[in-house]
Every structure is written in structure tokens, then in C-alpha cells.
Amino acid sequence: MNILREIKDRILILDGGMGTEVMEQTGKQFDIPEQLNLEDPEVIIRIHKAFVDAGADIIETNTLGANRIKLAEYGLEDRCKDINLSALELAKRAASPHSVYIAGSIGSMGELIKPLGEITFQQAYEVFAEQSQWLEQGGADLLLIETQIDILEAKTALLAAQETTSLPIAVSITYPLEENLTVTGTDPETAAITLSSTSADIVGINCGRHPRDFKSALNQYQMHTDKPLIVYANAGIPEKRKNRIRFPLGPVEYLKYAVEFYRSGAHIIGGCCGTSSRHIKLIAEKLKGKKPQKRARIPSYFRSSSRNSCLFIGGSEPFKAVGENINPFSRKELDQEFKSEKLSLARSLARRQEQAGAHALDINLGQSGDQNPDFFSSAVLEIQSVSKLPLFLDNNNPSSLEKALQCYAGKAVINSISGETKKYQKLLPLAKKYGAGVILLAMDDRGIPDNSDQRINIIEHLIQKAYEYGLTKSDILIDPIVLSHASSPKSASETLAALKKIKQMKTPSVLGLSNISHGLPNRRRLNQIFLTMAIDRGLDSAILNPLDKDLMDTTKACDTFKGKDPGLRQFIRTFGNVQEEAEETEQKPAFQSKKDELFNAIVEGEKKDAQKITSHLIEQGENGLELLKKILSPALELVGQYYEQKKYFLPQLILSAEAMEGASQIIEKTFPEKGPVQTKSKIVLATVQGDLHDIGKNIVALVLSNSGFEVIDLGKNVASKEIISTAVNENCEFIGLSALMTSSLEYIEEVIQLKKKKAPEIQIIIGGAAVSSAFSQKCGADAYAGDAMSALRKLKNMV
Ligand code: B1M
């Protein structure tokens, strides 16, 4: 049996939802259903058997959460081996004597990799390598890395599985947020581009929201990857009724969607949460063994991606500008900064280039990037946090480059790989291993040829080598090299001639534009004119200075003449209402006052700046609480709006929250030490279960404790029972609850219900962005407060 060969010819049926079937069969909800592999194996065998009898060709082991980190949450990390091996044993027993494939299921760790979480690449790699090896040792036929909530985690799991086992591997992403986004904000197009360049054998989509949302996601996958597809959705969005979780789609309704998956090109089709053996039986009757749909050829332009955006170069795509400014050769101040391993100017340049319209950013730390291999990857991590643009990694040192590729959430671009044998032999395998694109450079061991034909020879040789290492057309950009017009006057025309030939090869091109004017006066004009000529010869993208507005405008004008801006829509949209401007220079942010600057530091997530400016303002006699109310909270509110508008993603949200926390710490220090004040009342404060937002609650705690209340702060994500038991044991008069997620409102209601039973005398005050006065009345809270000062006033009245 060879699954990869088989899916070329016939549709295979995957089983249904294990977790929900366990609930259905036992009537209980388990935090970690994998435990049943050891404690109640018959249930798991029964579920597998039902799926096999229903016609599943592939069954998944009950190991979704059986990785060391997840198991550790329940003190089961030492049972990792037993849980995985026993899962295989049960699946094999259930499958026998039928000939079905057993897929070793690998889910998310439940904690994110840096910078979104605390786990390092290496730790994550080891966790996934361990589970993959147990699953292979137990006898799995393939590995199914599934329900992945973050693209970096999925890539890391894949790499670990691929390097430590010899099994075929499928990677399936889940898009649970509105507009088909992963938890960390990746859309299906971006994920498909990222996965397409990895070594995954099969890619796909599972779980998520309603199966009706899968169609558009599948279309995106079809456009950007030719890997076989695996698709299995939930039976709709579950509802809680009378303490039972119900999925709305029965077998007949779900079948309609399964047929849609088939028509959209899926090779493996099954069900996820809420789908039972009855669902799988109908799908098997209808689709099992059918010939897969013929897939359209994917367009062959160059693709790259970050966690939250993608980049296309070549074909009919408009010209693409890659920001060159994070490079000490173009900015002396950066050199100083990099020598002391600082990155604040680089972060600010990343933002400014993105605002100026760059489509990607080049990261070159010069010599400093080579000295400490960790510094380059730190820079890549930080720039990913402040900009959503794809990154071109410009570093000659393979070990620095490898570390950066490990932490890159998307498909990076290696800038660049020349025809020097030692170089391409090291770097092309790295590109393949980490699923990166490459810029191939027209020079080899003999240097840069003077003439364009020789440059093309080198390029053809390099492209061949790239294919041999497993790269594809959509991974390759060609740089025919431009030298300074001052040092080599004939070189410009050779570069232009090479560009024309590259265009005939239908391979996308890129140039490091600013080289042309190196050592000459009036550089901006030279750059602009040469760029126009190069675009005319077919140049598709350049690494250039996006802060030079004339240059950026030139690219847009060129697009109109090259037929890359149909109806001149983009041009008119950009320039329609803009006054003709004379000379443009770089735009630096101008702040009216220190308070504006503080606001901006929070919005941009610059913690150190936020702390410095807050200290300065406090020294100038500003009131800390007023700053919190009038500057810091509104700034964070704007961050929330940006997040809603998809202008910001989770990394930016985290940075802004950290900046706010940093500023709040400074303000906190300005409050008088709490001396022997007479404690008036005791209040237990908490952000309710499921909610990790605690900035607002911390401000409430600060204000109350500085006004004589004794505050017991339980932190965030606190279980209702813990809140009540603390309030009772500590003899509190009040309970204060905060919630910012609509989904956590039910826990406010739960605390109130519990309180009514266990301690009716305690009064409850609630607040937080998700809470309203109307909700407060509906759920029976004693008071609602819209901000910290109002919380204080209300509590004083209640006392
Ligand atoms: Co997120 N987040 N977040 N977030 N986040 C919101 C809340 C959101 C509205 C953003 C948006 O979509 N516009 C949205 C919730 C949507 C909803 O359900 N209604 C959201 C989301 C979706 C998420 C994630 C799911 C994102 C993801 O992972 N894809 C995730 C969820 C994690 C979880 O909780 N399970 C998430 C994560 C995070 C960070 C960790 C990155 C970070 C929190 C860091 C931290 O708190 N330690 C974060 C942040 C910073 C925000 C925003 C931008 C700002 C929240 C904040 O701190 N505001 C927020 C957008 C927004 O609210 N506009 C957003 C400033 C703070 C001072 O205000 O907390 O309202 P607030 O407190 C005020 C008053 O409300 C009141 O007094 C305070 C001061 O005056 N108050 C009380 C608060 N508690 C009170 C209690 C009282 C009385 C008054 O009595 C006891």
C-alpha cells in the first residue's frame, strides 16, 4: 500500500471526529481524551471500528494532544510514549483484518512559538520529533499534522516529523476565525503559499468554522499549490443546549459539503468534530474510490509570504518594491545600532517602509549580522513583529541564515545565492529544508561576467541546480546584477540586455537598484531613470528605497505603460486626489507633543520609548492616572480597531500590550507607598475564565488598592470556582470581574450563579470592554463600571 500513489488515482475516505465521538459514547467531556488509550481502550477501539465499518480508508490515532507540552498540562508528560504507542495498538486492532491506512495524528502544542509565545523553535522541534518518532515506531502509515492554529508551528512540526521519520506527511491548517483566518491571522492563500514550498506530501484544511467556509479556502489552495489536498470539516458550528454540545449538520447535510470538497479538487475527504460514522458512511458510499478531479495548472509567478501577507512577482503582477533600508551600508546610524545589537531604528525603518508602500523588506545587518548568529534571527523575529511584509534575508553566514529561517513564519526569500559552488551547495538545501524562495545571482567562482550572455549561462546553470535540490519555478527570482555606473560604464547596458533575456525565459527578475548610482551625484535621478529603463526591459521587482516617493511613483506609472494596471485603476486611486508635488523627500513622523509621542509609542508597540516618555511626562508633573485614561487607554483602543480592520495582527497586538504594561509600571511607581491605611473593604479581582486580557483589570486593581481597598488579585483566566472559594475563604465583601472577550461573558454569569448559591452576601461588580450596563442588569451583577475611577466610585457607594 502506498498512499501517495493511491491518492493520485482514487479518492480516499478519512474517518470522523474522535474527540466528539468520545464525548458521545461516554457521555463525558475529557480534558485530554488521549488518556483513554490507557484507561478505557475499548471505547477508542469501538469508535475506530465504527469508522472502518462505515468505509473509512484512513483512520486517525487518538493522539491529537499527545505531545509532551500538552500532556504536561495534565501531569501526563511521562506517559507520552505509552499514550502514543497504545493509540497505534488500538487503531491496528480496530482496523484488522481490513486494509486501512493508520494516520498518526499530531495536533498543536497549545502554546505558541516565540515571539507570540514562550516556546523556542528548538523546544517545539523536539516535542514534535518525539511524538512523530513514537507514532512511526508504533506502526503509523503516515503522519497527519492537523488542526494547526499557527503557520510557524505547523512548519516546525513538519520539519521535525520529516527529519526524524520516513513516513509520508500531511499538514492541515484550521481557520477558526471570521474571514477564514487562523488563530494567528494567516489566511488560506498565505498558508497555501507557505506550505507549497515545504516538504509536506499532502496539505489541507480541517475543523475551523462551518464547512460552507471551506470552498473559498480550497480555491486559494488550488491556486497556489499542486500538492494533493486533504479536507475534513466540522459538522457546523456547535451550540450548547442543556449542557450538551450539539453540531447542527446531520449526515445528509454534511454530505453536500463533502461533495463540494470533491469538486474543488480534494483527494482525501472525511469529517472533523461532530461527524460520526453515519456521516462517514454516506461520504464513503458517494465518493470512495472516485477518480480525483483534474486540477488546473497553478500560475507560475514567484511567491513568498509572511505570517499575514503574501507577495507575487512576475507575470502580469504589478512591479514590486522591496525595501532596502534595513542595511548598514545605506545608513550609517544603523551600523552603530547593530554593533551594540540594538534594533529600534531597524524596527522604525520597517514600519516606515511598509507605510511608504514597500511590498517586502530586505534585512541586511552587515558585519554585525555575521558576528553573532543569534543577532540576525533576533532581528528577523523583531521585524516580523512590527511589519506584516514578507522578508528577504540578506546574510552570507549559513548558520545565521538557518537560525533566521527557523523562526520565520512564512516563505522567506534568501537574498542571494550565487553560482559559487560552495555557496549554492550550502544554501539551496537550506532553502528546500525551510521552504524558502531564492534570489539566484549572476556570478560564480570566476566573479561577475562582463557580458550578458555569460551571466545568463550562470543563471541557467543555477536554475538547473535549484531544480535538482527540489525547488520549483515559483521559488526562483533572478538577479542579473547591476554595478555602479561610475566604476563600470558599460555594465548598465549589459544588465539591461540580461533582463531582456530573462524575460524571454519567463522567470521573474529583481535588481539591487541603488548600486547603479553608487559613488555618483544626483543618485535619486539616476536610480529613477535606470529603473524606468530596466522595467521597460522586463524587470519585475527591485530592492530599492521606498521612502523615495518619486521612485515609488515611477513604478506605478511604469505599471500603467506595461499593461500591469488595467484601466489605470490603481494609478488613479493613488494619485486621483493628490496635488502635484515638487521634490519629495523622506517623511519622518513629526510629533506635536510628548503626549502624541507616547500615544504613538503604544500604537507602535515600542515599550522602551513608552516607558521613557512616560517617565519624562511624570517628571514634568503629569498625573499618572490621567495619562492612563487620556493617552494610554485610547492608544490601545486604536490598536484594537487596527486589529479589527486587519491592519494589525496578533504580533502587533502583543507588542502594544507590552508597551502599555511597561508604561503602566512607571505610573504605578508614582503612587504613594501603601502605608498603614485602614483597610475599608476586601475585594477579590479576576479576569474570568477563557480571557487573557488583564491590562484593564490591573488598572482597576491599582486604583482600588491605592484608595484603601484590600485587593486580592487572582490574575487572568481564572476559574469561577476559584474566584468564589477565594472570596469566601478570605471573607471578601466584593468580587470584581473583568472580561474583554464576548465568549467569556458566560463565565461572569457562572460566577454570579455560583455566588448566589455559596455566598449570597458578597456583592459583585463587573467591567471590561465586553461588558455593558445592560449585560450587567441581565446577568444580575450588583454593579457595572465603565472604567477604573467609576469602579472606585461605585464601590465606595456600595460600602
Ligand atoms: Co485582544 N481582543 N485578543 N489581546 N485585545 C480585544 C479585546 C478585541 C476587542 C480586539 C478586536 O477584535 N477589536 C478582541 C475581542 C473580541 C470580542 O470577543 N469582543 C480581541 C481578541 C479577538 C483577541 C484574541 C482572540 C486574538 C487572537 O488570539 N487571535 C486573543 C484572545 C486571548 C484570550 O483572551 N483568550 C487576544 C489577545 C490579546 C493580547 C494577549 C495580545 C493582548 C492582551 C494583553 C493583556 O491584557 N495582558 C490583547 C489586547 C491588548 C487587546 C486590545 C487591543 C486592548 C485591550 C486593553 O488592554 N485595553 C483589545 C481591543 C479593545 O479593547 N479595544 C483586544 C485597555 C484597557 C485599559 O481597557 O481592558 O477595557 P479595558 O479596561 C478598562 C475598562 O474596560 C474598565 O477599566 C479599565 C480601565 O479604565 N474595566 C473594568 C476593565 N475591567 C474592569 C473591571 C471592573 C470595572 C471596570 O470591575 C471589576
Side-chain angles (χ1 to χ4, degrees), residues 683-725:
I683 177 166
V684 58
L685 269 185
T687 303
V688 293
Q689 189 168 330
D691 200 325
L692 300 177
H693 298 86
D694 65 353
I695 295 176
K697 185 262 306 161
N698 291 347
I699 295 176
V700 175
L702 192 70
V703 168
L704 295 184
S705 59
N706 281 288
S707 308
F709 280 85
E710 188 179 338
V711 177
I712 302 170
D713 187 349
L714 292 179
K716 56 195 170 189
N717 188 20
V718 187
S720 309
K721 279 187 188 153
E722 188 185 341
I723 298 172
I724 295 294
S725 63

Side-chain angles (χ1 to χ4, degrees), residues 177 182-184 633 636-637 639-641 643-644 650 653-654 657 660-661 685 690-697 699-700 716 736-743 765-770 785-788 791:
L177 303 189
T182 67
V183 168
T184 54
S633 293
L636 218 47
E637 208 151 285
V639 170
Q641 284 168 21
Y643 179 77
E644 232 165 75
L650 195 57
L653 210 63
I654 291 176
M660 170 88 173
E661 215 176 295
L685 269 185
D691 200 325
L692 300 177
H693 298 86
D694 65 353
I695 295 176
K697 185 262 306 161
I699 295 176
V700 175
K716 56 195 170 189
L737 303 175
S738 181
L740 272 84
M741 305 277 296
T742 315
S743 54
I765 178 166
I766 63 176
D787 62 35

